[in-house]
Amino acid sequence: MAVRKAGRIVTAVAAAALLAGGAAACGPEDLTGGSGGSDDKASASASGSGSDSTGGPEAKAPPAGTDALAKTPATVKGGVITVGDPKAGHTVKLYEDARCPICKKFEDTGAQALVKPVAEGKVKVQYTLASFLDKNLGGSGSVNAANALRASVEAGKFPQYHAAVFANQAEVETDDAYTPAFLLKIADKVDGLRGAEFDKAVRKGTYKNWVGEAMQAFTDDGMEGTPTVVIDGKKADSRTLFDQEMFAEELKASGIS
């Protein structure tokens, strides 16, 4: 999988490669034409076929297997969210952007191999949530999603909500579907997540500064694309990321099973 610096053209190519079953990645690029936070575009993209009576798309439930992580702790340090026993012997670092279709493909496939060892306390996963695709594509969905995901940590529901957010990623990468209203609809699919504090954080962007900190952590770690997976300090073979059995074998080679 070649990591590519993504502008509007490159991200479209990456999405096409994904649909064709090829290997690609989403990546940041400083674009003068990018816009951050277009409310008009966000509203328009959230209304279309498949929408419900409130004007937004219908939300899907997270994969059933996510329930295995319901009691797994999630903590925050700097711009990183860690899921799993802090004393776990192995660490997997995962760099994602919520709007990246290649990240969704990883979440649907290879990432499933992490559920059991994380639930059993054998490995912890450190998530660095990037938000560069807003600049590449316009809109504010990546920032909105990262803010809501940070809020879900405080509610004790990050693993389930993280899975639900990716389950509800827009089919078209350029659609800015992660509005605060839709992110709250997604939260309805996670038992016990909705509440006054969480809802306020999602609507008001309470963790906007933290989202910037997370993006800076992505940059400081020298990342050039998403998804990037690092297992105990070694970058994972990108050819294994999109097959659960292959990625499980790579984890096993690192002592994680």
Side-chain angles (χ1 to χ4, degrees):
M1 175 178 69
V3 173
R4 306 172 184 175
K5 292 188 176 181
R8 286 185 176 83
I9 295 175
V10 175
T11 47
V13 171
L18 170 62
L19 294 174
C26 302
E29 184 175 89
D30 219 2
L31 297 177
T32 57
S35 62
S38 170
D39 291 338
D40 290 341
K41 180 175 180 179
S43 298
S45 64
S47 62
S49 60
S51 62
D52 64 18
S53 60
T54 63
E58 297 178 1
K60 304 172 185 175
T66 311
D67 293 340
L69 298 175
K71 296 182 180 180
T72 304
T75 57
V76 180
K77 183 176 182 180
V80 178
I81 296 172
T82 299
V83 174
D85 185 345
K87 298 180 181 180
H90 299 278
T91 302
V92 172
K93 294 184 177 182
L94 177 55
Y95 300 83
E96 296 179 321
D97 186 307
R99 291 177 71 181
C100 173
I102 321 302
C103 294
K104 175 174 170 52
K105 184 175 183 181
F106 171 68
E107 286 297 328
D108 290 344
T109 55
Q112 298 305 307
L114 283 166
V115 173
K116 185 174 181 287
V118 170
E120 293 177 348
K122 297 177 181 178
V123 61
K124 58 184 177 291
V125 179
Q126 297 180 338
Y127 293 87
T128 301
L129 304 176
S131 49
F132 55 81
L133 281 175
D134 287 349
K135 191 168 187 178
N136 288 7
L137 303 169
S140 54
S142 293
V143 168
N144 291 342
N147 171 74
L149 285 163
R150 173 63 181 83
S152 73
V153 176
E154 303 305 315
K157 300 291 182 178
F158 175 81
Q160 303 97 306
Y161 190 56
H162 174 267
V165 166
F166 275 100
N168 285 279
Q169 188 185 85
E171 292 184 7
V172 179
E173 186 183 10
T174 52
D175 284 352
D176 190 29
Y178 288 133
T179 63
F182 185 47
L183 288 161
L184 289 175
K185 282 187 185 180
I186 297 172
D188 281 331
K189 301 297 182 179
V190 178
D191 289 342
L193 176 54
R194 293 291 299 270
E197 290 300 316
F198 175 81
D199 289 10
K200 180 181 178 181
V202 173
R203 291 191 179 107
K204 302 293 185 181
T206 299
Y207 296 102
K208 183 178 178 180
N209 288 341
W210 179 86
V211 174
E213 188 176 358
M215 186 63 222
Q216 188 60 53
F218 177 88
T219 302
D220 289 347
D221 283 355
M223 295 298 108
E224 296 182 346
T226 57
T228 298
V229 181
V230 179
I231 304 171
D232 289 338
K234 182 180 178 181
K235 189 174 180 180
D237 184 344
S238 58
R239 294 171 296 181
T240 72
L241 297 185
F242 309 112
D243 183 285
Q244 184 173 341
E245 291 185 3
M246 290 178 65
F247 189 59
E249 285 299 316
E250 179 149 14
L251 293 172
K252 187 176 180 179
S254 298
I256 304 169
S257 60

